[in-house]
Amino acid sequence: MRIHFEPQLRASRGKLLSGHGAGTAVHAGSFLRERRMVLDSDLLNHAPELLRILTHELFHFVWRKLDNGTRLRWDALVRAELGSPGELGWSAEWRKAALTPADSRKRTRRWREYLCESFCDSAAWYFSGAAKHPEYTLPAKLRRLRRQWFTRLLAERKLPL
Ligand SMILES: [Zn+2]
């Protein structure tokens, strides 16, 4: 897998761009099939944040290869939390806020994207070891359940990359 650092990363119309221009500022983007990851070079000056973002991106690769049973167990976990606010990263949080009841019921694309982002954000939170971050807004009792879930996943040694 290759990791590149580029200045002023932004996303625009499904593309990842670098430098001034249109689009939304982002920390990183991953190209799963090409096994390539691009991170904003600003992160090089913020080690804890770099590790958080790097872990999040790495788990995109894990999620892609995860077996269906494990994915369904993740689906069941976050489905049971619906109705509670908060998440463990902005990427999952804004997607969660945009979900409608039909999304989870019909497992729409929006729901599947939320599943993936909540998985990656939770992994980044789990491995960061930090209790506090402005993006950690999930209530404590739900964090405990996610921690147990990841501890179990690791106990099974199931981390395909
Ligand atoms: Zn992501």
Short mmCIF file of all heavy atoms in Angstrom, two decimals, residues 28 56-57 60 91 95 116-117 120-121, ligand 1:
data_model
loop_
_atom_site.label_atom_id
_atom_site.label_comp_id
_atom_site.label_asym_id
_atom_site.label_seq_id
_atom_site.Cartn_x
_atom_site.Cartn_y
_atom_site.Cartn_z
N ALA A 28 -8.12 13.36 4.32
CA ALA A 28 -7.55 12.21 3.63
C ALA A 28 -8.54 11.60 2.66
O ALA A 28 -9.73 11.89 2.69
CB ALA A 28 -7.15 11.15 4.66
N HIS A 56 -8.18 5.58 10.66
CA HIS A 56 -9.48 5.63 9.99
C HIS A 56 -9.35 5.13 8.54
O HIS A 56 -10.11 4.27 8.10
CB HIS A 56 -10.03 7.06 10.02
CG HIS A 56 -11.32 7.24 9.26
ND1 HIS A 56 -12.52 7.45 9.89
CD2 HIS A 56 -11.58 7.23 7.92
CE1 HIS A 56 -13.47 7.54 8.96
NE2 HIS A 56 -12.92 7.44 7.76
N GLU A 57 -8.37 5.67 7.82
CA GLU A 57 -8.20 5.30 6.41
C GLU A 57 -7.82 3.83 6.26
O GLU A 57 -8.32 3.14 5.38
CB GLU A 57 -7.16 6.20 5.74
CG GLU A 57 -7.58 7.66 5.62
CD GLU A 57 -8.91 7.85 4.88
OE1 GLU A 57 -9.11 7.23 3.82
OE2 GLU A 57 -9.77 8.60 5.39
N HIS A 60 -10.71 1.55 6.29
CA HIS A 60 -11.50 1.46 5.05
C HIS A 60 -11.09 0.20 4.29
O HIS A 60 -11.92 -0.48 3.70
CB HIS A 60 -11.29 2.69 4.17
CG HIS A 60 -12.25 3.79 4.46
ND1 HIS A 60 -13.59 3.70 4.15
CD2 HIS A 60 -12.09 5.01 5.03
CE1 HIS A 60 -14.20 4.81 4.52
NE2 HIS A 60 -13.31 5.62 5.07
N SER A 91 -16.94 12.20 10.33
CA SER A 91 -17.32 11.49 9.12
C SER A 91 -18.57 10.63 9.34
O SER A 91 -19.49 10.61 8.51
CB SER A 91 -16.14 10.62 8.69
OG SER A 91 -16.45 9.90 7.56
N ARG A 95 -23.07 11.74 8.60
CA ARG A 95 -23.87 10.75 7.88
C ARG A 95 -25.02 10.24 8.74
O ARG A 95 -26.12 10.01 8.27
CB ARG A 95 -22.99 9.60 7.41
CG ARG A 95 -22.13 9.99 6.21
CD ARG A 95 -21.24 8.86 5.79
NE ARG A 95 -20.53 9.17 4.54
CZ ARG A 95 -19.39 9.85 4.48
NH1 ARG A 95 -18.83 10.30 5.59
NH2 ARG A 95 -18.80 10.09 3.32
N CYS A 116 -19.91 1.95 7.20
CA CYS A 116 -18.47 1.95 6.93
C CYS A 116 -17.77 3.07 7.70
O CYS A 116 -16.75 2.85 8.36
CB CYS A 116 -18.25 2.09 5.42
SG CYS A 116 -16.55 2.32 4.96
N GLU A 117 -18.32 4.29 7.64
CA GLU A 117 -17.65 5.42 8.31
C GLU A 117 -17.69 5.27 9.83
O GLU A 117 -16.72 5.64 10.51
CB GLU A 117 -18.27 6.75 7.88
CG GLU A 117 -18.08 7.08 6.40
CD GLU A 117 -16.63 7.15 5.95
OE1 GLU A 117 -15.74 7.46 6.76
OE2 GLU A 117 -16.39 6.87 4.75
N CYS A 120 -14.94 2.83 10.70
CA CYS A 120 -13.59 3.42 10.59
C CYS A 120 -13.33 4.44 11.70
O CYS A 120 -12.24 4.46 12.29
CB CYS A 120 -13.40 4.08 9.22
SG CYS A 120 -13.50 2.89 7.86
N ASP A 121 -14.33 5.28 11.99
CA ASP A 121 -14.16 6.26 13.08
C ASP A 121 -14.01 5.55 14.42
O ASP A 121 -13.22 5.98 15.27
CB ASP A 121 -15.37 7.21 13.13
CG ASP A 121 -15.23 8.38 12.17
OD1 ASP A 121 -14.09 8.67 11.72
OD2 ASP A 121 -16.26 9.02 11.86
ZN ZN B 1 -13.84 7.45 5.90
#
